Amino acid sequence: METNSSLLIAVIEQPGVPVLRVGFTLAVIVFLLAGVFIFRRRHQLFDGDPNVENDVPVVRHNREEEILFVWSGMMLVLLSILYQVWSA
């Protein structure tokens, strides 16, 4: 018996769409809450540490920007995937 691969993919794809929607929605919510958590504790995480040598405000600001850029990029990727899943 010969099977059509596109038909097989279509059969697998349709039942999985609601699960993907829920999964990526939860991932976006968790990632957003992680960003809020980091933002609310930014002074505890990024303020000066007397035990660290050369811990000047510029270095602390650069660390904060690095985390913000990575988080923003990952958030954009998750939102684009979420949009694609919900528009499918």
Side-chain angles (χ1 to χ4, degrees), residues 27-47:
V28 167
I29 290 171
V30 167
F31 204 69
L32 185 64
L33 290 176
V36 169
F37 175 77
I38 289 172
F39 180 75
R40 290 181 54 93
R41 298 187 129 212
R42 69 187 181 278
H43 295 293
Q44 181 182 359
L45 297 171
F46 299 111
D47 273 356

Side-chain angles (χ1 to χ4, degrees), residues 2 6 11 15 18 20 29 34 36 40 58 63 67:
E2 194 173 314
S6 62
V11 170
L20 287 174
I29 290 171
V36 169
R40 290 181 54 93
V58 174
R63 281 194 306 250
I67 298 295

Side-chain angles (χ1 to χ4, degrees), residues 4 24 41 48 55 63 67 86:
N4 189 354
F24 276 105
R41 298 187 129 212
D55 191 28
R63 281 194 306 250
I67 298 295
W86 276 98

Side-chain angles (χ1 to χ4, degrees), residues 5-78:
S5 62
S6 62
L7 180 64
L8 184 62
I9 291 173
V11 170
I12 293 172
E13 215 171 84
Q14 289 305 319
V17 171
V19 177
L20 287 174
R21 287 178 180 162
V22 170
F24 276 105
T25 303
L26 289 176
V28 167
I29 290 171
V30 167
F31 204 69
L32 185 64
L33 290 176
V36 169
F37 175 77
I38 289 172
F39 180 75
R40 290 181 54 93
R41 298 187 129 212
R42 69 187 181 278
H43 295 293
Q44 181 182 359
L45 297 171
F46 299 111
D47 273 356
D49 187 1
N51 299 327
V52 177
E53 190 175 317
N54 294 329
D55 191 28
V56 293
V58 174
V59 174
R60 292 193 300 267
H61 182 71
N62 288 345
R63 281 194 306 250
E64 192 172 349
E65 278 184 352
E66 182 180 346
I67 298 295
L68 181 67
F69 287 149
V70 170
W71 181 84
S72 299
M74 291 179 70
M75 194 69 191
L76 286 173
V77 168
L78 278 175

